[in-house]
Amino acid sequence: MIPKISVIVPVYNVEKYLPACLDSLLKQTFTDFEVICVNDGSPDNSSQILDKYAKLDSRIKIINQKNQGLSMARNNGLLKASGEYIYFLDSDDELHYQTLEIVYTLSQLHNADLICWEFTSDDINEFHKKKLDINKLDVKISASPIFLGTHKEKYRINFNACTKLYKRELLNGIEFISGIYFEDVPHTFTVLSKQPKTVVIDENLYYYRKNPNSITNQQSNPKQIRDYVTGLRFIYDLYKKANLNEELQFLSQTFIPNILQQQLGRCRHSNAVVKREMWELLNEEFKWLDSVNMIKWSNHRILRCWLYLKLNT
């Protein structure tokens, strides 16, 4: 039988956290799902852990591949997925035990293409203890979710893949860009460009573990600047081709200032060996964004960022 949900779990060097991640899946109140674990050439004991869990539960399937990175692990897992809905779970994080029941129920209730929710890094014991009443959850339904994706207010859409349930057809023709950091950002914008009917849940259903070995906790480096520019160029070209000009203007006013502020922080906190190169890359990013009219100079954060850049180059 075709499962309702395919859960895709990329696995690399997470032997410390993998059991808890898989346990959070096997404790789900919703049971009609398959788990596709993509062992991305992990050099630790993750492979043995996967084999153990696969013997415990027939819903768990394993794909072994040479190391290709997170994007390709997800892309290859998607090729093997058979579920009506797709969910990506990072192997060092955990789900609340009601997550899949809640998001699948709401997808059916509202005939939604996309379900989005919040995450937390607070007390994990409290996270798992709470019991949620699906009838009392605070939700918002939108046919233009792009306009929810760039602010920190209620009903926001986070730019990560792990707080979203996708109708399988929504992901047709969409892949994660291989070989870059922050691959979730262009992927999310590609999904949102299809203007899917979206349900946003104002509830923490995902536990994000602050793993010191994760990409987001790496020392600032030039590749981070380059890869974000790669993602931004991809988004711009996609939206321009689709004539989503109102959406582009919205992004220039909201999303771009936040990104430049982050890029500025990476430059400021980089070590002396690469600092000069990173400032030069940020300067090139400014020039490109300005050339395509994606900078609103009236925004005080951009002016502050630009001034700091000029003082340090």
Side-chain angles (χ1 to χ4, degrees):
M1 290 181 63
I2 296 176
K4 300 297 185 186
I5 300 175
S6 291
V7 181
I8 298 170
V9 186
V11 177
Y12 184 80
N13 240 15
V14 285
E15 62 180 7
K16 182 177 179 181
Y17 310 113
L18 184 55
C21 173
L22 296 176
D23 285 341
S24 76
L25 275 173
L26 300 185
K27 292 176 182 176
Q28 291 294 304
T29 52
F30 182 88
T31 59
D32 191 2
F33 62 88
E34 65 176 356
V35 184
I36 301 175
C37 296
V38 184
N39 178 22
D40 190 34
S42 188
D44 64 358
N45 292 316
S46 293
S47 179
Q48 292 89 327
I49 295 170
L50 290 176
D51 289 339
K52 174 185 173 183
Y53 274 81
K55 291 177 182 177
L56 289 174
D57 197 309
S58 62
R59 293 174 297 178
I60 297 177
K61 304 167 185 177
I62 303 171
I63 298 174
N64 291 301
Q65 64 180 40
K66 293 181 180 179
N67 181 248
Q68 299 178 52
L70 176 61
S71 289
M72 289 308 299
R74 286 173 171 171
N75 291 340
N76 292 336
L78 183 59
L79 291 175
K80 299 294 184 180
S82 59
E84 297 176 21
Y85 285 80
I86 303 294
Y87 175 60
F88 298 102
L89 171 62
D90 281 353
S91 50
D92 49 359
D93 298 333
E94 299 177 35
L95 289 180
H96 183 270
Y97 67 94
Q98 294 175 276
T99 297
L100 294 185
E101 177 187 7
I102 289 171
V103 298
Y104 182 77
T105 299
L106 289 174
S107 74
Q108 299 305 291
L109 180 63
H110 299 288
N111 190 28
D113 304 303
L114 180 67
I115 310 291
C116 305
W117 59 93
E118 287 290 338
F119 66 90
T120 183
S121 295
D122 293 339
D123 189 330
I124 193 167
N125 293 319
E126 290 301 317
F127 172 77
H128 284 303
K129 273 186 200 177
K130 65 181 179 182
K131 185 174 182 180
L132 301 169
D133 184 342
I134 194 169
N135 297 311
K136 295 182 180 179
L137 291 176
D138 203 356
V139 304
K140 183 178 182 67
I141 302 168
S142 175
S144 301
I146 182 65
F147 297 108
L148 300 175
T150 54
H151 55 71
K152 296 181 179 180
E153 299 174 8
K154 199 173 183 180
Y155 308 119
R156 66 175 180 172
I157 294 178
N158 296 295
F159 295 109
N160 59 61
C162 297
T163 55
K164 296 172 183 64
L165 181 74
Y166 310 85
K167 186 174 283 187
R168 181 66 181 84
E169 292 79 6
L170 182 61
L171 295 180
N172 287 345
I174 299 178
E175 291 186 335
F176 291 91
I177 299 175
S178 179
I180 68 170
Y181 295 147
F182 318 118
E183 63 285 314
D184 285 9
V185 175
H187 185 271
T188 297
F189 274 109
T190 304
V191 170
L192 297 182
S193 74
K194 292 189 172 185
Q195 299 177 325
K197 184 177 182 182
T198 303
V199 174
V200 184
I201 310 168
D202 187 36
E203 183 64 58
N204 297 322
L205 301 177
Y206 187 89
Y207 184 81
Y208 169 71
R209 180 173 279 104
K210 296 178 180 178
N211 182 353
N213 298 318
S214 69
I215 290 172
T216 54
N217 289 310
Q218 288 185 1
Q219 176 69 40
S220 296
N221 61 76
K223 179 173 169 55
Q224 293 173 333
I225 304 291
R226 292 193 192 96
D227 287 355
Y228 235 123
V229 173
T230 297
L232 289 176
R233 286 181 178 271
F234 179 90
I235 294 164
Y236 176 80
D237 291 342
L238 176 70
Y239 278 56
K240 200 67 178 175
K241 185 177 180 180
N243 292 316
L244 297 174
N245 296 316
E246 183 181 354
E247 286 80 357
L248 277 175
Q249 287 302 304
F250 180 75
L251 296 182
S252 73
Q253 296 167 2
T254 54
F255 179 64
I256 295 301
N258 290 333
I259 293 305
L260 289 175
Q261 193 83 353
Q262 292 176 29
Q263 298 286 60
L264 173 63
R266 292 185 181 100
C267 291
R268 292 175 62 187
H269 296 108
S270 59
N271 61 50
V273 176
V274 298
K275 189 178 287 287
R276 183 71 185 183
E277 180 183 359
M278 292 186 69
W279 283 120
E280 291 173 353
L281 288 169
L282 182 58
N283 192 28
E284 289 300 314
E285 183 175 354
F286 258 93
K287 289 179 180 178
W288 172 71
L289 287 168
D290 192 32
S291 72
V292 294
N293 197 32
M294 287 297 287
I295 287 185
K296 299 301 179 188
W297 290 104
S298 58
N299 188 293
H300 72 281
R301 283 176 294 178
I302 288 180
L303 285 172
R304 184 169 58 186
C305 182
W306 178 80
L307 179 60
Y308 198 97
L309 175 65
K310 291 303 177 185
L311 292 172
N312 285 274
T313 55

